[in-house]
Amino acid sequence: MPQLGKTLIFAGLALAALGLLLLAGDRLPFKPGQLPGDILWKGKNTTVYFPVMTCLLLSLIGSLVLWLFGRR
């Protein structure tokens, strides 16, 4: 049971950090989903968006979190 408690505390802190990030979203120097390296193509009747850098950043963060959980 102690391991479950630690996991719940970590998940709560992660959710709180995500909430603060969303609240401060307008004041951040970067906009999630609009990072340099994201590709936006506007045609005559279509718009195509490829969030390349956003996906790489989310993958890196996810990998770090899973690596930290795997160390325990």
Side-chain angles (χ1 to χ4, degrees):
M1 274 311 211
Q3 186 64 24
L4 178 63
K6 290 178 184 178
T7 302
L8 288 174
I9 289 172
F10 181 75
L13 290 174
L15 282 174
L18 180 63
L20 289 173
L21 182 68
L22 291 174
L23 284 174
D26 292 338
R27 289 175 257 154
L28 292 174
F30 60 91
K31 302 291 183 218
Q34 298 175 353
L35 297 175
D38 290 347
I39 300 169
L40 177 64
W41 178 71
K42 292 184 179 183
K44 189 174 185 180
N45 295 321
T46 59
T47 300
V48 180
Y49 180 66
F50 297 107
V52 177
M53 289 305 293
T54 301
C55 289
L56 287 173
L57 182 64
L58 289 175
S59 176
L60 177 68
I61 292 170
S63 295
L64 287 173
V65 167
L66 290 175
W67 178 72
L68 287 173
F69 273 119
R71 290 186 62 191
R72 295 180 182 191

